[in-house]
Amino acid sequence: MTESHLEIERKYDAAADFTLPDLSGLPGVEGVRDAASVRLHAAYFDTADLRLAARGITLRRRRGGEDAGWHLKLPAPAGRLEVRAPLGRARSVPGRLASLVAAYTRGAPLRQVAALDTDRRTTLLLDADGAPLAEVADDAVVGTVLDAEAVTTRWREVEVELVNGPPKLLAAAGRRLRKAGARESSASSKLARLLDGRIERRGGVPKAEAKGRCVGDVVVARLSAQVDALLRHDPAARRGEDDAVHQMRVAARRARAVLRAYAPLFERERVRPIGDELRWLGGVLGEVRDLEVLRARLTKRVGELAQADPAAEPVAAERVAAERVAAVPSWLDDLARQERAAYRRMNAALGGLRYFALLDALDALVAEPPLTARARRPADEEFPGLLDRSRRRLVREHDVLTGDPEDVETARHDVRKAAKRVRYAAETAVPVLGADAERAMRDAKAVQTALGEHRDALITMRRIEEIAAAVRDPAEAFALGRIHEVERRAADASLTRFAAAWNA
């Protein structure tokens, strides 16, 4: 069993004779209490070439203290996501934690690479009710790198971690510590400090935003950002966290769209296989995402039906609403089971060699992009023509749609895909073209969104029809009919929005 929480903290370097200042009077702090000192021993695990450390990830097994066990710390926008597991075996990383870093290890074994022994004195900053707002840990650390030389390093540091306190408390505590002589640490973790100089930093290329840069640099920077996003959302997607699969799928789609929209900048035969594999990955993630959307949509519709007829007597209306809410349709449970099965298939694919090979190919693409001579031209000169290339395709697909095609639904889907490509191509060009690209991005997004909503409504209607064919309860069949009608109206409304977006 694993658990997780978001870790928001700041670290400070301190001299051996540093004295922790009085921390009372900080924002919201009504009391200060010293906790018992504790000795901690942590064994850190990584691949032989330190792939986790290169991405700012730490995986450790720690003994001592209240949170003894396995800790996996992953970078997150507001801090670091810490996932925990029980102590278990000393040299065997829990399978669940190992799977969460599989996109980084890619089949390479995890082994112990370092050890840290810490003497910790903890000070709790409390609110008026005695509840902790933050913890201040004063650590004397002895770290050993377990390589051929077995180098040992000693240092002292102070960590301030929010518990329930506001961000301003973190900043105020930092000011108090710096005034007392501490210095904000440049290392993201104790392990990063210990391994400094041994880590081959990874995680993208420098941002290319200046108009003077060549177009290839800007596009590769955009690709690099999508590769980073893909990796960042991978652990959360495996855990089934809210919106994580969607965000991971969007990163894969953006990367593929950039490769296709800016194809003249790349050697075609080198990037085509990567585009094909990104499409495969989008399909793997799409099965889960489509079921998530469908189940959420139908759950919402069932909830709307649970609202009693406003014309009914109040008492009767409340009773009917309660009965409807209590009776969750069996077909909705079936959808949940299908979603869980899709998650299992997704996690199997994300643990396979095909996915790892794609990630290796993306890393290589960003590190040594196979660019053509055109990619070396100035970005501000090349982007307008390249963006127009995607726009022209969108217009062609729209012409097909308005030309009475045999399969209208497929034609609409092709317009949606072309609009998405324009949107993502324009996003890439925004740092160079500014307002013009932003306008193209907004217009394309409006078209894509309207047609996406139309497609979602049609898919939901078809699923309702499949479910209704197997339903024997007249009341349930009637309810499904009402939901079907709501979706039909939603489909019609989305087409109206599409027409307005196209003609805007």
Side-chain angles (χ1 to χ4, degrees):
M1 180 178 178
T2 59
E3 59 179 271
S4 64
H5 80 281
L6 184 64
E7 180 182 74
I8 304 175
E9 66 179 16
R10 299 259 181 92
K11 297 178 181 293
Y12 299 87
D13 295 333
D17 60 352
F18 175 78
T19 299
L20 195 68
D22 179 14
L23 297 173
S24 60
L26 294 174
V29 176
E30 298 294 334
V32 177
R33 185 176 79 237
D34 292 332
S37 299
V38 64
R39 170 161 288 189
L40 308 172
H41 174 79
Y44 285 82
F45 289 74
D46 206 331
T47 61
D49 55 356
L50 304 178
R51 298 180 189 182
L52 301 186
R55 291 282 186 173
I57 299 168
T58 58
L59 173 59
R60 73 186 179 200
R61 181 181 185 271
R62 188 163 76 182
R63 292 183 283 107
E66 296 180 355
D67 62 346
W70 287 89
H71 304 163
L72 170 63
K73 297 188 179 185
L74 300 157
R80 291 205 295 172
L81 177 68
E82 182 176 303
V83 185
R84 299 177 181 177
L87 272 171
R89 298 169 61 184
R91 296 190 176 276
S92 180
V93 178
R96 186 60 175 151
L97 298 189
S99 72
L100 294 180
V101 295
Y104 303 97
T105 59
R106 301 177 196 176
L110 290 164
R111 64 179 182 84
Q112 187 178 350
V113 297
L116 287 174
D117 290 290
T118 303
D119 288 319
R120 168 168 292 182
R121 292 181 297 168
T122 302
T123 300
L124 301 176
L125 308 183
L126 311 174
D127 64 13
D129 297 324
L133 296 172
E135 293 184 358
V136 181
D138 186 354
D139 293 341
V141 188
V142 179
T144 303
V145 179
L146 301 180
D147 55 15
E149 301 177 4
V151 177
T152 297
T153 306
R154 299 174 182 270
W155 72 92
R156 186 177 175 191
E157 71 177 40
V158 179
E159 295 179 356
V160 184
E161 180 179 355
L162 289 183
V163 180
N164 294 305
K168 64 180 181 180
L169 173 57
L170 201 62
R175 288 192 293 270
R176 187 88 46 103
L177 291 171
R178 289 194 298 273
K179 187 175 181 180
R183 303 176 308 281
E184 191 157 0
S185 177
S186 59
S188 59
S189 66
K190 289 181 174 66
L191 181 66
R193 175 171 183 156
L194 180 63
L195 297 178
D196 188 37
R198 294 176 170 84
I199 302 172
E200 180 184 349
R201 296 293 175 185
R202 304 179 186 181
V205 297
K207 292 182 179 179
E209 298 182 351
K211 290 187 178 182
R213 298 293 296 274
C214 66
V215 64
D217 288 344
V218 181
V219 171
V220 171
R222 180 65 175 171
L223 277 173
S224 177
Q226 300 318 306
V227 175
D228 287 346
L230 188 69
L231 290 169
R232 184 171 66 253
H233 293 297
D234 176 291
R238 293 171 189 264
R239 285 168 55 84
E241 293 182 15
D242 185 47
D243 205 40
V245 171
H246 172 59
Q247 293 301 326
M248 189 176 174
R249 186 189 189 192
V250 167
R253 285 180 160 181
R254 278 194 169 111
R256 181 168 178 256
V258 169
L259 287 176
R260 298 185 71 185
Y262 296 105
L265 306 181
F266 296 94
E267 296 176 13
R268 184 176 180 181
E269 296 307 315
R270 296 275 301 278
V271 300
R272 178 187 287 175
I274 297 175
D276 291 343
E277 290 302 277
L278 284 169
R279 181 178 183 179
W280 162 78
L281 178 60
V284 168
L285 301 170
E287 183 189 12
V288 171
R289 178 58 182 168
D290 290 347
L291 283 167
E292 283 182 337
V293 171
L294 180 63
R295 187 169 65 86
R297 195 177 183 102
L298 286 172
T299 299
K300 177 183 177 183
R301 299 303 187 208
V302 169
E304 290 169 349
L305 285 182
Q307 301 300 315
D309 185 345
E313 292 294 327
V315 175
E318 290 178 6
R319 186 183 69 253
V320 171
E323 290 173 352
R324 287 175 175 170
V325 170
V328 177
S330 59
W331 50 263
L332 205 51
D333 286 336
D334 288 340
L335 275 179
R337 284 192 291 271
Q338 292 173 31
E339 185 181 328
R340 289 193 294 271
Y343 261 106
R344 289 192 293 271
R345 288 189 291 273
M346 181 196 76
N347 279 321
L350 296 185
L353 295 179
R354 184 174 183 178
Y355 177 54
F356 299 158
L358 170 58
L359 295 178
D360 287 342
L362 288 170
D363 283 347
L365 175 66
V366 169
E368 297 182 12
L371 298 172
T372 63
R374 186 174 179 179
R376 293 193 289 271
R377 296 175 185 173
D380 54 346
E381 296 178 8
E382 288 298 312
F383 265 126
L386 290 166
L387 187 53
D388 282 343
R389 180 173 176 268
S390 294
R391 286 172 170 151
R392 288 194 298 271
R393 174 165 182 156
L394 174 57
V395 171
R396 289 196 301 271
E397 297 294 357
H398 187 264
D399 288 344
V400 172
L401 176 62
T402 57
D404 193 22
E406 183 177 341
D407 188 341
V408 175
E409 186 178 339
T410 297
R412 288 194 185 113
H413 187 51
D414 289 341
V415 172
R416 177 173 173 262
K417 290 191 295 183
K420 183 165 52 179
R421 186 184 300 184
V422 172
R423 174 189 172 188
Y424 293 156
E427 284 178 350
T428 303
V430 164
V432 176
L433 300 183
D436 288 343
E438 288 179 352
R439 189 179 308 109
M441 180 179 66
R442 287 195 302 270
D443 291 347
K445 182 179 180 181
V447 170
Q448 176 197 344
T449 300
L451 289 179
E453 291 171 350
H454 180 72
R455 186 173 176 82
D456 287 345
L458 291 183
I459 291 172
T460 306
M461 288 165 65
R462 288 198 193 96
R463 181 56 69 98
I464 291 170
E465 291 163 8
E466 293 171 2
I467 294 168
V471 166
R472 297 293 176 264
D473 182 356
E476 193 167 357
F478 178 73
L480 285 166
R482 292 181 62 186
I483 294 174
H484 192 280
E485 176 59 20
V486 170
E487 292 295 341
R488 187 193 63 77
R489 290 198 300 268
D492 292 343
S494 64
L495 289 182
T496 301
R497 289 192 294 273
F498 162 59
W502 185 265
N503 295 316

